[in-house]
Amino acid sequence: MRPLLVVGILTSLTLTVTRADAGCPTAVTDGAKKALPGAALLRCEPDGGHFEATLQRADKTLVELELSANGEVLAIEEAVPIASLPSPVLKAVRARYPKSTLHKAERITKGKDVSFEVEVKLATGVKEATFKADGTFVEEE
């Protein structure tokens, strides 16, 4: 019975790895792996005219990539410590949401453009807002 158990475990592990990129062409998965060498591809799926992939670095941090069908990285989104936000972004968040608590932050890189999405807790609930690196407000969700 033990050989069957081992085969069953190995089969389920193989299926788990295969499902991570089941919805993406090889060019997309190769582009994701090239963008973050050594990171494990956890998920990859089509999203409109592009693809979204989630990878996990060796330090267990997650990174989300938006890729074109040919594997070109269009955007990188990754969590960052609140303390590492640029000063103009922190000032803009405090000015726009004076009675809020910063909950989490992400850096979004699209080519050479960098913006930051912050999640703030307010008395009325939680909001997400995006700011350019210079503190310019972009949008609120």
Side-chain angles (χ1 to χ4, degrees), residues 19-141:
R19 285 188 196 128
D21 62 4
C24 290
T26 302
V28 173
T29 57
D30 288 349
K33 292 173 186 176
K34 183 180 177 185
L36 294 171
L41 180 63
L42 301 180
R43 179 187 63 82
C44 186
E45 57 191 27
D47 184 24
H50 59 272
F51 295 86
E52 289 190 3
T54 302
L55 292 92
Q56 184 176 38
R57 291 187 171 130
D59 66 0
K60 304 296 183 202
T61 58
L62 299 178
V63 179
E64 294 180 5
L65 300 177
E66 180 182 336
L67 301 112
S68 68
N70 66 1
E72 176 188 358
V73 176
L74 304 173
I76 302 171
E77 188 172 319
E78 57 190 314
V80 295
I82 292 169
S84 73
L85 288 171
S87 178
V89 172
L90 285 171
K91 287 178 185 176
V93 171
R94 289 187 183 119
R96 188 167 184 90
Y97 307 102
K99 295 183 180 185
S100 69
T101 303
L102 276 167
H103 186 256
K104 65 180 182 177
E106 296 176 329
R107 178 179 43 242
I108 302 166
T109 307
K110 293 182 180 182
K112 293 182 181 187
D113 294 329
V114 177
S115 60
F116 295 88
E117 183 177 277
V118 296
E119 184 177 283
V120 293
K121 287 187 178 183
L122 304 163
T124 58
V126 177
K127 291 199 181 229
E128 288 184 357
T130 304
F131 296 85
K132 293 181 182 178
D134 67 2
T136 304
F137 174 76
V138 176
E139 67 177 340
E140 179 180 275
E141 295 177 29

